[in-house]
């Protein structure tokens, strides 16, 4: 071979070999601890300058070709408080793709990260300066480097969120949206798409405990999101006592900062099917519900905002028979006392035992309804309920085993639902009063009454009543046209009763009190033209009529006392 050609060949081989040797030596050199720490100092110095804040890194370890680990990563916010701290971080990446201008991480693991997010009154956060620093001017940025993380795994994390001048925490076991602290946060996140204006990710598992005690054992979902909306293919939540699944769910918002005021600024639509929820799991958000111990099931569509909720085709079931099928609107949450309710109730069902359980739970005291109410069986109500939780109007019809009753009544609750004030109209055309009173001599009753009264926590019902009884059956006779006007206080009745029947005319004025050891009778009574035979009070004297006037003022239950 001519010397010139041989020399040229050596030069070409050398020119090719040098870059290859350099490239091959890079991974080897990167395993040197001095070089690794030098690179770490260069990177942290650059980040500190770019972010204009303190950034530090502990140790950096590069394993041949595709694995890097970093410890003690610290980023300070502009108020010189901790923004982010990561105890240990590791990442596996594609070394080959570096030469294609792509930095592709197969998996990033963060162990013991701590992230403190703070929001000011204008909606800004202490993270904004980082986001702004990483935004590049499109006109001057000629970089085509592509960044991507396929899988993110977080273990033993701590996340906090606080809002400047936010509402104070009322109690340690009540969730405060203005002061959130998530502990023992563990998550696996698969990032299918992560771009400037779009996101597609899957969360196979996420768990945490909030400072209030609220615990999420497992949360899984798949999300597609943009700057103004998010669509969720499915959601599954497991809590200590609950199992909830949502179908295709959507969220709409003006921008991402709306999530800092999620209750008022984020709209959503959530379909639920056969969700089983423990009141204890949601009592951190509505403390009063902690007194109810059993699970309830939910079906329907929840839409709107938290502060203005709509329940479409809502089906709720609790206990043996308590159930609601309705369309409901709630405005004013999370403050129960200031929440306005509009409910179009297709059916509300309850029996005596369920009512006792619910009332006892809310009042924290044993509550027993009169045993006679068991005759009602399962009460089914259809109609409307409107007003605040403390001031409701119930308009509709209740059907029972002994007949139906229509209501148009205002119910006002006070003293944590222990005190009730009521005012309204109740009427029925064919109520089997005898069955309710367990008295065979009493039959059906047709009436309309208006009452205004109250029931204090430890006191009996008391109030006023005006009523018209078109018919009352007694001893197989139907008494017609009875008017009643008086007062009741749990001891008896004080007032007037006027009876104008074809077989008797009577007027009662006074007081009867049967609750005392010695009953009280103090009244005037006028009876005219009473046909005792027609009234089925005597067998004979068909044509005899009885008329008398009487006045009594006595105490006792026998001639001897």
């Amino acid at each position: 071979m001519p010397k010139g050609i041989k020399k040229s060949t050596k030069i070409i081989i050398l020119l090719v070999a040098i870059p290859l040797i350099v490239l091959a030596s890079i991974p080897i050199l990167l395993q040197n601890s001095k070089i690794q720490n030098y690179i770490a100092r260069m990177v942290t110095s650059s980040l500190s300058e770019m972010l204009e804040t303190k950034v530090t890194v502990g140790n950096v370890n590069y394993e041949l070709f595709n694995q890097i680990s970093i410890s003690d990563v610290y980023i300070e916010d502009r108020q010189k408080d901790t923004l982010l701290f990561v105890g240990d971080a590791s990442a596996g990446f594609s070394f080959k793709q570096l030469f294609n201008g792509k930095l592709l991480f197969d998996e990033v693991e963060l162990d013991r990260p701590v992230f403190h997010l703070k929001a000011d009154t204008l909606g800004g956060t202490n993270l904004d300066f980082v986001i702004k620093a990483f935004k590049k001017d499109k006109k001057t940025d000629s970089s085509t480097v592509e960044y991507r993380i396929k899988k993110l795994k977080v273990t033993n994390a701590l996340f906090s969120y606080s809002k400047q001048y936010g509402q104070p925490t009322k109690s340690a076991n009540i969730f405060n949206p203005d002061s959130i602290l998530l502990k023992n946060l563990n998550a696996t996140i698969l990032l299918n798409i992560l771009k400037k204006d779009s996101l597609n990710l899957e969360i196979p598992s996420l768990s945490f405990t909030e400072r209030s005690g609220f615990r999420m054992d497992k949360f899984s979902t798949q999300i597609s999101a943009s700057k103004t909306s998010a669509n969720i293919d499915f959601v599954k939540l497991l809590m200590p006592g609950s199992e909830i699944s949502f179908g295709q769910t959507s969220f709409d918002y003006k921008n991402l900062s709306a999530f800092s005021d999620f209750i008022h600024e984020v709209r959503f639509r959530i379909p639920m099917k056969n969700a089983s929820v423990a009141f204890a799991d949601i009592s951190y958000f509505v403390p009063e519900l902690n007194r109810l111990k059993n699970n309830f099931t939910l079906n329907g569509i929840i839409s709107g905002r938290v502060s203005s909720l709509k329940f479409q085709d809502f089906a709720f079931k609790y206990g043996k028979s308590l159930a609601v099928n309705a369309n409901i609107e709630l405005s004013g949450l999370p403050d129960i006392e200031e929440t306005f309710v509009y409910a179009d109730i297709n059916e509300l069902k309850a029996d005596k035992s369920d009512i006792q359980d619910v009332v006892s739970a809310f009042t924290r005291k044993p509550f027993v309804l009169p045993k006679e109410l068991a005759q009602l069986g399962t009460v089914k109500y259809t109609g409307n309920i409107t007003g605040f939780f403390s001031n409701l109007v119930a308009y509709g019809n209740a059907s029972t085993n002994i007949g139906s009753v229509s209501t148009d009544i205002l119910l006002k609750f006070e003293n944590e639902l222990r005190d009730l004030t009521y005012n309204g109209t109740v009427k029925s055309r064919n109520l089997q009063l005898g069955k309710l009173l367990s008295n065979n001599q009493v039959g059906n009753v047709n009436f309309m009454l208006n009452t205004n009264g109250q029931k204090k926590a430890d006191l009996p019902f008391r109030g006023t009543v005006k009523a018209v009884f078109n018919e009352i059956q007694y001893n197989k006779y139907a008494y017609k046209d009875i008017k009643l006007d008086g007062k009741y206080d749990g001891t008896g009745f004080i007032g007037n009763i006027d009876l104008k029947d074809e077989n008797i005319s009577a007027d009662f004025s006074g007081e009867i009190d049967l609750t005392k050891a010695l009953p009280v009778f103090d009244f005037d009574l006028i009876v005219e033209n009473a046909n005792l035979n027609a009234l089925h009070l005597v067998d004979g004297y068909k044509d005899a009529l009885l008329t008398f006037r009487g006045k009594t003022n006595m105490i006792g239950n026998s001639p001897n006392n």
Side-chain angles (χ1 to χ4, degrees):
M1 180 182 296
K3 290 183 178 180
I5 296 176
K6 187 175 182 179
K7 186 177 182 179
S8 298
T9 302
K10 288 180 178 181
I11 293 172
I12 293 172
I13 292 173
L14 186 61
L15 291 173
V16 173
I18 289 173
L20 291 175
I21 291 171
V22 172
L23 290 173
S25 64
I26 291 175
I28 298 173
L29 292 172
L30 286 174
Q31 293 191 77
N32 184 281
S33 60
K34 292 183 178 180
I35 294 177
Q36 292 173 354
N37 291 324
Y38 172 76
I39 293 174
R41 288 194 299 271
M42 293 288 291
V43 172
T44 55
S45 176
S46 176
L47 283 173
S48 295
E49 183 179 348
M50 181 178 70
L51 298 177
E52 298 180 1
T53 191
K54 183 179 179 180
V55 178
T56 62
V57 172
N59 295 319
V60 178
N61 182 38
Y62 172 75
E63 297 179 11
L64 197 57
F65 295 122
N66 65 348
Q67 192 72 26
I68 187 171
S69 60
I70 306 172
S71 64
D72 299 333
V73 178
Y74 174 81
I75 301 177
E76 201 170 72
D77 64 19
R78 291 288 175 80
Q79 289 75 42
K80 299 188 180 301
D81 293 325
T82 300
L83 175 63
L84 173 68
F85 174 82
V86 182
D88 292 295
S90 62
F93 61 93
S94 174
F95 188 79
K96 178 181 177 181
Q97 293 294 338
L98 287 174
F99 298 99
N100 296 325
K102 298 180 179 180
L103 186 56
L104 305 182
F105 291 97
D106 295 321
E107 182 173 350
V108 174
E109 295 187 14
L110 304 178
D111 183 43
R112 294 173 289 118
V114 177
F115 183 66
H116 297 294
L117 182 64
K118 300 175 183 177
D120 59 31
T121 55
L122 300 177
T125 72
N126 61 335
L127 183 63
D128 291 348
F129 78 99
V130 177
I131 298 172
K132 184 178 180 180
F134 277 95
K135 284 184 177 180
K136 297 180 179 180
D137 190 340
K138 294 181 179 180
K139 295 181 180 180
T140 60
D141 179 24
S142 59
S143 172
T144 59
V145 177
E146 179 183 341
Y147 301 90
R148 183 175 173 186
I149 300 174
K150 293 183 179 179
K151 182 179 180 180
L152 175 64
K153 186 175 182 180
V154 179
T155 56
N156 301 316
L158 184 146
F159 169 83
S160 71
Y161 167 79
S162 59
K163 185 176 181 180
Q164 187 179 24
Y165 306 122
Q167 61 180 351
T169 301
K170 297 179 180 179
S171 175
N173 59 353
I174 298 177
F175 177 79
N176 184 353
D178 291 344
S179 180
I180 301 171
L181 177 63
L182 305 183
K183 300 177 289 185
N184 301 320
L185 175 60
N186 296 279
T188 299
I189 303 172
L190 305 179
L191 294 164
N192 301 319
I193 298 175
L194 179 59
K195 296 182 179 180
K196 182 178 179 180
D197 58 354
S198 61
L199 168 70
N200 183 286
L201 64 82
E202 181 179 351
I203 303 177
S205 65
L206 182 148
S207 62
F208 60 83
T209 300
E210 210 275 329
R211 81 163 92 217
S212 61
F214 173 74
R215 197 175 92 203
M216 180 66 65
D217 291 335
K218 184 177 181 181
F219 170 86
S220 57
T221 187
Q222 185 164 341
I223 304 172
S224 298
S226 67
K227 291 182 177 180
T228 58
S229 66
N231 293 300
I232 303 175
D233 292 337
F234 70 91
V235 176
K236 292 183 178 180
L237 302 95
L238 294 178
M239 291 172 278
S242 306
E243 184 173 348
I244 305 172
S245 296
F246 300 147
Q248 185 74 39
T249 300
S250 61
F251 291 83
D252 294 290
Y253 38 88
K254 290 182 179 179
N255 48 54
L256 294 178
S257 63
F259 281 89
S260 64
D261 188 12
F262 182 87
I263 290 175
H264 300 95
E265 296 297 331
V266 178
R267 289 182 173 273
F268 49 83
R269 183 182 185 277
I270 305 173
M272 288 190 300
K273 186 175 182 180
N274 297 326
S276 177
V277 184
F279 281 109
D281 288 334
I282 59 175
S283 64
Y284 302 100
F285 306 93
V286 185
E288 293 82 1
L289 299 179
N290 187 45
R291 302 162 192 170
L292 299 170
K293 302 302 180 183
N294 297 323
N295 280 33
F296 63 91
T297 59
L298 285 178
N299 287 277
I301 299 174
I302 303 176
S303 62
R305 305 182 182 93
V306 172
S307 60
S308 181
L309 279 179
K310 292 183 179 180
F311 296 83
Q312 298 170 266
D313 301 323
F314 175 71
F316 167 93
K317 185 174 182 180
Y318 175 78
K320 295 179 181 179
S321 65
L322 183 58
V324 179
N325 290 283
N327 292 293
I328 304 171
E329 296 183 16
L330 303 176
S331 180
L333 288 172
D335 189 339
I336 289 291
E337 293 183 358
E338 296 299 324
T339 296
F340 186 84
V341 182
Y342 175 79
D344 183 10
I345 300 174
N346 299 318
E347 185 177 65
L348 186 156
K349 298 192 298 182
D351 65 14
K352 178 174 175 281
S353 62
D354 284 331
I355 294 173
Q356 290 178 161
D357 290 345
V358 172
V359 175
S360 295
F362 274 99
T363 60
R364 299 182 183 178
K365 292 183 178 180
F367 179 79
V368 180
L369 290 167
K371 62 181 181 179
E372 290 80 9
L373 293 183
Q375 300 292 337
L376 298 176
T378 299
V379 180
K380 299 179 181 179
Y381 177 85
T382 302
N384 298 318
I385 295 178
T386 58
F388 294 95
F389 275 109
S390 59
N391 201 354
L392 295 171
V393 175
Y395 177 81
N397 183 76
S399 61
T400 71
N401 287 348
I402 62 171
S404 61
V405 176
S406 297
T407 65
D408 185 1
I409 191 164
L410 171 67
L411 304 172
K412 185 175 181 180
F413 295 92
E414 297 175 313
N415 191 19
E416 296 184 345
L417 301 180
R418 293 187 180 92
D419 298 338
L420 168 66
T421 302
Y422 51 90
N423 180 19
T425 301
V426 180
K427 58 184 178 180
S428 176
R429 291 187 176 182
N430 197 25
L431 185 67
Q432 300 173 50
L433 185 61
K435 288 186 176 181
L436 180 63
L437 301 177
S438 298
N439 188 326
N440 294 330
Q441 288 185 303
V442 179
N444 294 348
V445 58
N446 181 324
F447 70 91
M448 181 176 72
L449 67 84
N450 180 273
T451 182
N452 186 336
Q454 59 182 345
K455 171 70 172 70
K456 296 290 184 180
D458 300 318
L459 297 174
F461 286 93
R462 62 175 63 239
T464 61
V465 59
K466 290 185 178 182
V468 174
F469 293 85
N470 295 317
E471 179 179 297
I472 296 179
Q473 295 177 359
Y474 178 75
N475 202 25
K476 297 182 180 179
Y477 180 81
Y479 290 82
K480 307 285 187 179
D481 297 328
I482 303 173
K483 295 180 181 180
L484 180 149
D485 186 356
K487 299 178 181 180
Y488 55 92
D489 59 4
T491 62
F493 173 80
I494 302 175
N496 302 310
I497 301 175
D498 184 43
L499 169 61
K500 300 297 182 184
D501 184 82
E502 63 179 350
N503 288 306
I504 183 173
S505 176
D507 182 77
F508 170 95
S509 178
E511 173 186 2
I512 297 178
D513 184 353
L514 302 176
T515 63
K516 296 180 180 179
L518 296 177
V520 175
F521 302 90
D522 182 8
F523 58 83
D524 294 332
L525 177 64
I526 301 174
V527 176
E528 296 179 346
N529 301 321
N531 189 331
L532 301 183
N533 180 272
L535 297 175
H536 301 161
L537 297 177
V538 298
D539 293 331
Y541 310 103
K542 292 184 179 180
D543 298 325
L545 299 177
L546 176 65
T547 297
F548 69 89
R549 294 187 178 187
K551 181 178 179 65
T552 182
N553 185 355
M554 63 182 183
I555 299 176
N557 52 18
S558 72
N560 297 324
N561 58 9

